[in-house]
Amino acid sequence: MADEGKRSRLYLELDLNKDGKQTGFLRVPHSVHRSAYGWIPIPIACIKNGDGPRVLLQAGNHGDEWEGQVALGRLIREIEPARVKGRIIILPSANFPASLAGMRTSPIDDGNLNRTFPGDPDGTVTQQIAFFIEHVLLAQSDFGFDFHSGGSSLTYIPSTLARRSVDPAQTEKVVALMKAFGAPISYLGAALQGADRTFTAAAHRHGVTCMGTELGGGGQVTPAVLKVAEDGIRRILAHLGVYRVDVPPAPPTRLLTVAGDDYYVYAPEGGVFEPLAELGDEVKSGQPAGRIHFNDTPWREPAVASFRHDGLVICKRVPGRTERGDCLFHLGSDLAAI
Ligand SMILES: [Zn+2]
């Protein structure tokens, strides 16, 4: 790897090789006007008990996606080392400055953490966080989970997602994890091609089995979606044998794929978005998806965006105010239908 030999400048207060439960901070040095020798405190926990699977649980990759952050905080508080076999590292708010600001991206450097891997130990704050996650945390993990949701601009049917692998046995392994999580739907993307800047790509570079989620979103937490997240996280940990915990059996998950870019619907112009479909709708190719109203010239007929394929509406835009190019919807298709 090109960046081999470079070292992270971040300081981890925990010893990842020590048994027991440790909580503390990953310190990102941040010398600024109000604090000459200060650091940014990213919360982190490590629960280890002997040998076993090494698992990284992460949320807050995007700061305004709350369900995973809340679920992982609760998990830190409840988990007892005696019930663990192996090691669970929990990073609930990976892009902590973004989380603190309630934003998708960092207010410090505009960094979108999930477009920043493999990061740079000498780069901006977000680049330094990405470098640490990839080269320190993922480099010593067997399984990596990244709990996203729709954030402020989108809302999802609670989902798990993963990439296909060139190795069918590896794909089977992630499908088994999706079934264990038991979200209402799960979708498999195409295998990664070449370099990519996401956590998923970082995990693949280190041979880490990886699964993500799109839990809900709309910039909020709802009890129903939080329950999907909390039950699902416990079930995947039990499935891996790393955490002994009683959980209700997994409900069935509907296996889908997002077959290509034209399964997304984008705003054709700027204006006010009126959705013409809802999450969970089965739609047909050519069916109107939404209207964009022109409140600067309200006598003009609204522009209409249409679905270009049959499919299930799994993601919908939330805010009314919309610019040309904003994502309004995307569809999933049953795996068997492809
Ligand atoms: Zn996200």
Side-chain angles (χ1 to χ4, degrees):
M1 210 170 284
D3 42 24
E4 215 170 312
K6 287 191 178 180
R7 285 197 66 213
S8 174
R9 298 177 185 279
L10 276 56
Y11 172 73
L12 179 59
E13 294 179 355
L14 318 182
D15 177 354
L16 300 179
N17 296 311
K18 200 169 119 185
D19 276 353
K21 173 151 105 178
Q22 303 168 75
T23 56
F25 299 102
L26 171 61
R27 302 180 179 186
V28 185
H30 194 50
S31 176
V32 290
H33 178 76
R34 57 152 274 279
S35 182
Y37 303 147
W39 40 271
I40 297 165
I42 304 180
I44 186 167
C46 176
I47 305 101
K48 183 176 177 302
N49 185 9
D51 294 328
R54 301 170 304 167
V55 178
L56 172 62
L57 303 175
Q58 173 182 292
N61 185 337
H62 293 129
D64 62 343
E65 300 174 4
W66 302 114
E67 299 92 330
Q69 300 188 55
V70 172
L72 290 186
R74 189 166 292 166
L75 187 69
I76 291 173
R77 296 191 296 278
E78 80 163 27
I79 204 163
E80 294 164 17
R83 290 179 164 270
V84 170
K85 186 182 182 314
R87 185 180 70 192
I88 304 170
I89 296 173
I90 306 177
L91 188 66
S93 301
N95 196 345
F96 182 68
S99 173
L100 213 54
M103 289 170 61
R104 178 174 179 82
T105 53
S106 175
I108 298 173
D109 55 16
D110 280 336
N112 179 340
L113 179 59
N114 214 31
R115 304 290 183 275
T116 306
F117 293 92
D120 180 351
D122 302 319
T124 66
V125 165
T126 307
Q127 289 169 333
Q128 291 182 54
I129 295 170
F131 186 90
F132 186 91
I133 291 169
E134 174 156 351
H135 296 85
V136 179
L137 299 182
L138 282 171
Q140 50 180 309
S141 295
D142 304 308
F143 298 90
F145 298 94
D146 194 20
F147 302 108
H148 289 253
S149 74
S152 306
S153 73
L154 300 171
T155 178
Y156 272 87
I157 299 175
S159 327
T160 52
L161 59 145
R163 294 289 197 153
R164 283 179 191 280
S165 168
V166 284
D167 172 9
Q170 185 63 18
T171 304
E172 297 265 317
K173 213 163 146 183
V174 295
V175 169
L177 282 165
M178 289 170 152
K179 288 180 175 168
F181 191 97
I185 63 170
S186 296
Y187 52 98
L188 263 181
L192 286 163
Q193 306 284 339
D196 190 90
R197 298 174 295 165
T198 61
F199 175 92
T200 303
H204 282 237
R205 281 193 281 275
H206 291 269
V208 173
T209 301
C210 179
M211 190 194 83
T213 62
E214 294 294 356
L215 286 165
Q220 62 176 340
V221 178
T222 63
V225 176
L226 191 58
K227 181 164 170 45
V228 172
E230 292 182 337
D231 286 353
I233 291 168
R234 282 165 183 75
R235 274 195 294 263
I236 52 175
L237 295 175
H239 171 81
L240 295 174
V242 70
Y243 182 32
R244 209 156 26 84
V245 60
D246 292 329
V247 271
T253 189
R254 179 172 167 184
L255 275 179
L256 305 165
T257 189
V258 177
D261 289 345
D262 51 355
Y263 285 75
Y264 290 73
V265 177
Y266 293 98
E269 299 194 51
V272 180
F273 170 45
E274 176 198 357
L276 296 174
E278 288 299 331
L279 288 180
D281 285 357
E282 302 276 357
V283 298
K284 294 285 180 199
S285 176
Q287 183 175 327
R291 295 191 186 95
I292 302 294
H293 294 267
F294 307 110
N295 58 338
D296 54 350
T297 47
W299 44 87
R300 209 181 137 199
E301 283 298 320
V304 177
S306 298
F307 295 106
R308 294 164 69 185
H309 287 277
D310 297 357
L312 174 73
V313 176
I314 62 177
C315 171
K316 186 185 88 161
R317 176 175 175 81
V318 175
R321 183 70 218 171
T322 298
E323 300 300 324
R324 175 182 288 131
D326 287 343
C327 177
L328 305 179
F329 291 100
H330 80 80
L331 300 177
S333 316
D334 284 309
L335 263 182
I338 297 299

